[in-house]
Amino acid sequence: PIPGRCAYFVERKKRFCKMIPAPGRRFCGEHGHQEEENDRKRIPCPLDPKHTVYEDQLQKHLKKCNSREKPKPVYFVQDINAGFKDVAEIPEKQVPISFLSKEELENLITKLKKASNGLQLHLQEQILSHQALQEALSDPNNGESAFKHLKQQASILGNMEKLHLLGPGRCFVEFGAGRGKLSHWVDVALQNVENVQFLLVERATTRFKVDGKHQRGDSVFERLRVDIQHLCLKKVPVLEKKKLPVVGIGKHLCGAATDLALRCLVESYTTCCDGENEEPAPKRSRTDKAEVASNNSTDNESMEDDCKPVAGIVIALCCHHKCDWTHYVGREFFKSVGLGPVEFNYFQRMSSWATCGMKETSITASTSEDQTTDTEEHEQTFSKTESSSDTLTGILTVEERKEIGHLCKLLIDHGRMEYLQQRGYKAALQYYTEAAVSLENVLLTAVPSPSLIPE
């Protein structure tokens, strides 16, 4: 063992423990039971059995254990962005696609194509770049995976610049922030800009964060460790104090997280929620929606001064197979084209056909789970009954499955776009990078319509 370190040999890691024991001890607290003279019993922590604690110190430990339930932050409002459960619930036992008959599958595809009539099937390419990343993009030390991420981040910044979202006096909220790399590059792009705040929303603990490295005083980084489903931006202290307009951003915001983020921005924040006990706004009927756009301007004028509209939204979409009807913001659109939760349930799973790389495989190969070929992004895993190409052989070709998958993704994204349009935003979908860089290459952007922009 290293002098001054624990003398316990960790068999799994093939090395000695690196913790520092108490003075006069050979073992650290975790491995103290190895002391010959120590007859105290260690037991698994009831809050997290991954670590142990002395039985006679359990009560003391429970008060300071990192796994204990901590007080909720002021911006935590239970299920504020969750949406409302529909009366027609999805059946508890969802039938796998592979169990559908040929007629049932063809009926689903017919409904999909009918609902897609009139939609823009071929999105415009907006593959841009930004000067802030030019040095990193030309660095030969970056590997292929890092280069792909940099190209995506550069294009996202380029699209933000085109929409005039990179400017002073704004709060950039990165949803699903992870390490915070997207906010990092936005900060680099705003080197000489004053009064800039970054809020990095992430529900999980993240290692190797980059936001802690920013020391300059012009911009401030703050992490909000909370699920987007429960985040009320209106209650975040810095937004209450500084009253900055918000720009919502995200790179590959997974599945339902996109819908939660959209509702967080254009409903719970913009409408100035007053607290946990506020009743959610009633669902609008199709006839009411025509009045929304015309009323938005008046509503905005009547808002308190600290409730400015969201300045913009730029989100790279991802993992449509993880969408959920309860959280989905485009339910009204689905209903308007004759679709409901059952069809949505199948379409969100069929959307994986566009990116899971299904190919004709041998019987041996088909026994393993398919995964996305874009391994540096969110990996997709499916059960054999959902993703195996053999289950659909003779019904659909590989190219047909890929086309249907893209159509499912487009339909889900169009519902999101219409949701934003009905709330007074000018929304658009575009390809922001090549498919060779990322199979999840669609960017959702939105800025307030002219009537919503304060003079």
Side-chain angles (χ1 to χ4, degrees):
I2 302 174
R5 300 297 176 93
C6 178
Y8 180 78
F9 186 78
V10 185
E11 185 65 31
R12 181 174 61 86
K13 297 184 178 181
K14 304 299 181 185
R15 63 166 174 77
F16 285 95
C17 174
K18 296 182 178 180
M19 298 297 290
I20 301 175
R25 298 281 187 176
R26 293 183 59 237
F27 299 93
C28 67
E30 184 67 19
H31 303 119
H33 58 283
Q34 300 296 321
E35 297 274 9
E36 294 180 0
E37 68 277 9
N38 190 355
D39 57 356
R40 298 167 68 192
K41 182 181 179 182
R42 292 187 71 87
I43 60 174
C45 172
L47 300 179
D48 181 6
K50 292 181 180 179
H51 65 273
T52 61
V53 59
Y54 282 117
E55 188 175 26
D56 58 1
Q57 291 187 338
L58 177 60
Q59 295 305 316
K60 180 180 179 181
H61 170 80
L62 292 178
K63 295 178 181 179
K64 60 181 181 180
C65 179
N66 289 333
S67 298
R68 72 189 186 281
E69 185 176 357
K70 300 176 180 63
K72 297 292 189 295
V74 293
Y75 47 78
F76 181 98
V77 179
Q78 184 73 36
D79 294 330
I80 188 172
N81 304 313
F84 308 102
K85 287 189 176 181
D86 200 270
V87 177
E89 297 290 341
I90 300 175
E92 291 184 8
K93 293 184 178 179
Q94 299 177 6
V95 179
I97 297 172
S98 58
F99 288 2
L100 297 177
S101 66
K102 182 178 180 180
E103 291 72 21
E104 289 173 324
L105 182 59
E106 289 176 345
N107 184 44
L108 273 175
I109 295 173
T110 299
K111 287 184 177 181
L112 173 65
K113 292 182 177 179
K114 182 179 179 181
S116 302
N117 283 338
L119 300 187
Q120 183 183 353
L121 300 181
H122 302 286
L123 303 182
Q124 182 181 0
E125 283 194 355
Q126 291 283 3
I127 303 175
L128 307 176
S129 190
H130 195 279
Q131 185 62 36
L133 287 95
Q134 291 310 305
E135 183 177 348
L137 284 168
S138 57
D139 187 350
N141 294 323
N142 285 322
E144 181 181 358
S145 177
F147 182 70
K148 287 183 177 181
H149 282 295
L150 289 169
K151 287 194 70 174
Q152 293 174 69
Q153 291 155 347
S155 185
I156 291 174
L157 260 67
N159 278 276
M160 291 177 66
E161 187 173 52
K162 185 175 181 180
L163 294 171
H164 307 292
L165 296 178
L166 296 178
R170 290 182 178 173
C171 178
F172 295 88
V173 182
E174 183 178 357
F175 294 94
R179 294 176 59 195
K181 293 299 289 288
L182 183 56
S183 291
H184 163 77
W185 290 116
V186 172
D187 184 54
V188 172
L190 299 174
Q191 283 292 334
N192 300 316
V193 176
E194 298 180 351
N195 195 21
V196 177
Q197 176 79 35
F198 290 91
L199 295 177
L200 282 68
V201 183
E202 179 59 65
R203 65 182 179 181
T205 302
T206 307
R207 300 177 65 192
F208 310 118
K209 297 183 288 289
V210 298
D211 41 294
K213 300 178 181 179
H214 294 264
Q215 301 296 330
R216 68 186 186 88
D218 294 338
S219 60
V220 180
F221 280 72
E222 179 182 350
R223 278 197 173 254
L224 307 180
R225 188 179 172 185
V226 62
D227 194 308
I228 305 171
Q229 182 170 328
H230 313 302
L231 172 61
C232 180
L233 282 176
K234 183 66 177 65
K235 290 179 172 289
V236 176
V238 68
L239 290 177
E240 284 188 314
K241 180 180 179 181
K242 292 189 175 182
K243 303 177 177 62
L244 297 173
V246 164
V247 178
I249 60 177
K251 177 176 175 288
H252 289 231
L253 194 54
C254 196
T258 292
D259 301 297
L260 297 173
L262 294 179
R263 194 175 280 111
C264 175
L265 290 166
V266 306
E267 289 189 37
S268 67
Y269 177 66
T270 305
T271 56
C272 296
C273 66
D274 292 323
E276 297 183 26
N277 298 324
E278 183 182 4
E279 292 294 326
K283 294 175 66 176
R284 296 188 180 96
S285 64
R286 297 288 296 174
T287 54
D288 293 335
K289 289 177 182 177
E291 303 175 9
V292 174
S294 60
N295 290 340
N296 270 333
S297 178
T298 305
D299 292 342
N300 182 65
E301 293 173 0
S302 63
M303 285 182 182
E304 299 176 8
D305 185 57
D306 60 342
C307 291
K308 298 177 181 178
V310 173
I313 300 171
V314 180
I315 295 176
L317 305 172
C318 178
C319 300
H320 295 71
H321 65 284
K322 292 186 178 180
C323 291
D324 185 279
W325 177 257
T326 301
H327 304 315
Y328 181 52
V329 297
R331 286 177 296 182
E332 291 298 330
F333 164 70
F334 257 64
K335 293 176 182 178
S336 72
V337 293
L339 303 175
V342 175
E343 289 82 8
F344 179 86
N345 167 54
Y346 284 114
F347 292 164
Q348 57 97 358
R349 286 185 284 165
M350 291 161 63
S351 69
S352 64
W353 293 352
T355 56
C356 69
M358 286 194 305
K359 299 179 181 179
E360 297 299 337
T361 58
S362 64
I363 296 178
T364 302
S366 67
T367 60
S368 63
E369 292 184 340
D370 287 318
Q371 293 183 338
T372 176
T373 55
D374 192 17
T375 54
E376 77 276 6
E377 301 300 350
H378 295 177
E379 291 188 353
Q380 301 177 18
T381 57
F382 313 95
S383 65
K384 290 182 287 183
T385 55
E386 291 295 346
S387 64
S388 174
S389 60
D390 291 345
T391 61
L392 298 172
T393 300
I395 301 177
L396 298 169
T397 65
V398 173
E399 286 302 317
E400 286 174 335
R401 291 196 292 271
K402 184 177 179 181
E403 180 183 350
I404 290 169
H406 279 295
L407 207 56
C408 290
K409 292 165 76 72
L410 177 64
L411 195 68
I412 293 172
D413 290 340
H414 186 85
R416 291 164 166 167
M417 188 170 66
E418 185 170 294
Y419 165 83
L420 290 168
Q421 291 171 344
Q422 290 167 354
R423 281 154 180 77
Y425 288 83
K426 182 180 178 182
L429 295 167
Q430 53 264 316
Y431 292 120
Y432 77 102
T433 192
E434 301 91 347
V437 173
S438 175
L439 293 175
E440 298 283 15
N441 61 342
V442 175
L443 189 71
L444 173 64
T445 61
V447 292
S449 296
S451 61
L452 275 180
I453 300 176
E455 296 181 0

